[in-house]
Amino acid sequence: MTGIFKAYDIRGSYPAELDETVAEKIGAAFATLMNCGTVAVGRDCRPSSPALASAFNRGYTGAGGSVTDFGMTSSPLLYYAIIKGKFDGGAMVTASHLPPSTNGIKLCRGEAIPLSGDEGLPALQHMVEERPGRPGPAPSAGHYRTGDLTGAYIDMVAGFIRDPRALTIAIDAGDGMAGPEVRPLFSKFPILTTVAFNLEPDGRFPHHGPNPFLNSATDELRAIVRDSSADFGVAFDGDADRCIFVDERGDRIPADLVTALVAASYLAHVPGATFLYDLRSSRVVAETITQHGGRAIRCRVGHAFIREQMRQENALFAGELSGHYYFRDTGFCDNGIFAMVQMANLLSIKGRPLSELIAPLKKYSSTGEINIRVSHRDTIMEALRDTFADAKAETLDGLTIEYPTWWFNLRSSNTEPLIRLNLEADTEAGRDRRLAEVLRVVRDTDPSMEIEAG
């Protein structure tokens, strides 16, 4: 059971690692951790999610806590419900972008502050593993009720669409939880035309899987953007907390460049604001924020860590290379639908093609994220640090090696048995040369290494 507790949530294969018995134990332990307060619970559309959510609720109420069940919903909508409803905490049954054979649980305290491996999850894990069999009944079971804040949530998001001009937006809901939110949102703005598809939630994710970060997952979107002459396209993951953007030519836009673009747009209206960007991001992100008078702070990867640091810094906005975008206006939570709204606002204000706005940000040459399966992660990290001993080295999250004209970060995945490499250089030739050097060290240290196809 130990393996399902990750750095910022709980994830495992269903039912081999995470089944109803385990979910019930997690619910009971969470009730203890939350002093039996009232929590909001939601779930995505995976075939296993109803049973796991029901088991979690049973464990939570059986231990004396009370549940308001919001049923099938997106993660951002559940976060909104936790904050709006002033719940003591919440649980979202989802594995986000992972395959349908996997499931998980994201746990939050009040104000949708997530539990993580640094705060909350280790204590919960200890309680779950120390509790034998089914949890025993509490002296007095908690209450169970259902809730629905979809209309209020859509109204909240719609309130941030400002002076829209006539845009066409191609939307791939990815068979996930963005689908039910797209039509009611855009029905309020007839001037915005949407070409939306894969809207019906289907937890088997039959069209291309729930991970839009994979290049193959946006093939359909890219074609539809070109065919429909859309101003931009957006593809969502399974629980709608992240998205990937495509420009009007059908070209994917790296998420770090979106972070830079959105931050610069914000700074036109909120001078001096603070922004976070994850340490895998291009150097152009910090440069752009600083040039526009903002404060740029590097941060660890992962929603729990970023949301915590955003609160500490009162940051206005944060972006991750994986396509998670976080907003102070949404309670410091990641929200793919809200990110789409901000892109529409930006294009309405600028009145220029997205490709033209992004072009100046393509200053450096990046490899993108490369996933590598290895057997000796720690040994590889040591070998790389020794090989590049004359560089500036940082261990905020994995290993970052920096030179004046290039840098790379190598870190272990928090959700999968992989190491992830990101490398950037001033030129394409420099990028390719340095990538070959780094991969040579990895291969010499671990000949079993395999690079996964993107």
Side-chain angles (χ1 to χ4, degrees):
M1 192 184 300
T2 302
I4 67 173
F5 289 87
K6 309 298 183 181
Y8 37 79
D9 57 12
I10 298 166
R11 292 186 188 179
S13 62
Y14 175 87
E17 297 175 307
L18 178 60
D19 62 7
E20 290 82 354
T21 299
V22 175
E24 187 173 352
K25 287 182 180 181
I26 292 170
F30 192 51
T32 300
L33 199 66
M34 298 300 295
N35 296 316
C36 294
T38 301
V39 298
V41 176
R43 57 179 171 83
D44 69 13
C45 56
R46 293 165 192 266
S48 59
S49 291
L52 290 176
S54 179
F56 177 92
N57 293 341
R58 186 165 58 249
Y60 195 91
T61 56
S66 293
V67 164
T68 298
D69 189 347
F70 286 85
M72 194 168 68
T73 184
S74 68
S75 288
L77 203 163
L78 185 75
Y79 300 149
Y80 172 81
I82 294 169
I83 298 169
K84 178 75 172 178
K86 301 186 185 304
F87 286 96
D88 297 306
M92 179 70 188
V93 176
T94 182
S96 189
H97 66 282
L98 296 182
S101 59
T102 303
N103 216 324
I105 307 174
K106 297 178 181 178
L107 297 168
C108 298
R109 302 183 188 276
E111 295 296 312
I113 298 172
L115 271 62
S116 72
D118 289 350
E119 181 67 35
L121 281 181
L124 184 83
Q125 178 180 348
H126 178 74
M127 284 188 280
V128 170
E129 293 178 346
E130 291 298 309
R131 194 189 303 265
R134 291 172 61 89
S140 177
H143 299 290
Y144 172 88
R145 58 181 62 86
T146 59
D148 184 1
L149 286 173
T150 304
Y153 172 72
I154 295 297
D155 286 344
M156 181 277 292
V157 175
F160 285 89
I161 296 180
R162 311 188 195 282
D163 302 321
R165 67 176 176 87
L167 296 174
T168 297
I169 307 170
I171 302 170
D172 182 357
D175 306 307
M177 298 317 307
E181 298 174 9
V182 167
R183 283 203 174 109
L185 174 63
F186 286 104
S187 68
K188 297 175 179 290
F189 300 93
I191 196 171
L192 296 172
T193 301
T194 60
V195 183
F197 53 101
N198 300 334
L199 292 175
E200 188 65 30
D202 184 341
R204 299 168 300 171
F205 304 107
H207 289 94
H208 51 62
N211 186 0
F213 196 67
L214 299 177
N215 285 325
S216 58
T218 54
D219 287 346
E220 184 180 13
L221 175 66
R222 296 172 64 202
I224 287 176
V225 165
R226 290 189 290 262
D227 291 345
S228 64
S229 299
D231 293 280
F232 71 94
V234 57
F236 293 95
D237 72 344
D239 64 332
D241 61 357
R242 71 170 176 159
C243 62
I244 296 296
F245 289 102
V246 170
D247 69 18
E248 81 285 353
R249 301 181 304 190
D251 294 334
R252 287 169 59 104
I253 304 174
D256 50 354
L257 302 191
V258 173
T259 297
L261 186 66
V262 172
S265 178
Y266 268 129
L267 283 165
H269 307 284
V270 191
T274 296
F275 302 88
L276 269 57
Y277 64 99
D278 91 59
L279 52 71
R280 302 167 297 175
S281 302
S282 169
R283 284 174 170 167
V284 80
V285 178
E287 291 172 358
T288 300
I289 293 169
T290 302
Q291 288 167 4
H292 286 79
R295 180 171 172 244
I297 301 176
R298 297 175 77 200
C299 60
R300 293 174 66 181
V301 176
H303 74 98
F305 308 128
I306 292 177
R307 284 156 67 179
E308 178 183 4
Q309 191 170 353
M310 282 188 77
R311 288 178 178 275
Q312 293 171 353
E313 303 288 350
N314 195 30
L316 182 60
F317 168 66
E320 272 192 283
L321 191 65
S322 55
H324 287 269
Y325 303 104
Y326 306 77
F327 303 88
R328 188 167 67 196
D329 288 327
T330 62
F332 303 102
C333 296
D334 39 344
N335 191 318
I337 294 287
F338 202 84
M340 174 180 61
V341 164
Q342 296 309 313
M343 182 62 75
N345 285 341
L346 191 155
L347 291 179
S348 292
I349 292 168
K350 297 292 186 180
R352 293 160 57 196
L354 181 52
S355 62
E356 186 178 311
L357 297 174
I358 286 290
L361 301 175
K362 295 181 177 179
K363 185 177 178 181
Y364 303 110
S365 295
S366 170
T367 61
E369 189 154 81
I370 300 171
N371 293 326
I372 310 171
R373 291 193 177 273
V374 295
S375 302
H376 307 288
R377 300 187 218 191
D378 294 341
T379 306
I380 289 169
M381 295 289 187
E382 292 173 9
L384 286 168
R385 190 158 191 168
D386 290 343
T387 302
F388 302 106
D390 60 333
K392 176 184 176 182
E394 181 185 77
T395 55
L396 173 64
D397 194 345
L399 174 66
T400 301
I401 295 292
E402 293 187 79
Y403 288 95
T405 60
W406 71 286
W407 65 271
F408 74 85
N409 172 265
L410 189 71
R411 54 183 290 276
S412 296
S413 168
N414 287 316
T415 58
E416 299 174 83
L418 303 167
I419 56 174
R420 305 190 191 278
L421 172 66
N422 287 274
L423 184 148
E424 182 179 68
D426 288 356
T427 65
E428 286 188 18
R431 176 200 65 196
D432 294 343
R433 183 172 67 255
R434 300 305 184 180
L435 176 60
E437 290 179 18
V438 172
L439 290 179
R440 187 179 307 118
V441 175
V442 175
R443 186 174 290 106
D444 289 347
T445 308
D446 186 350
S448 69
M449 66 160 278
E450 293 182 10
I451 297 176
E452 288 202 340

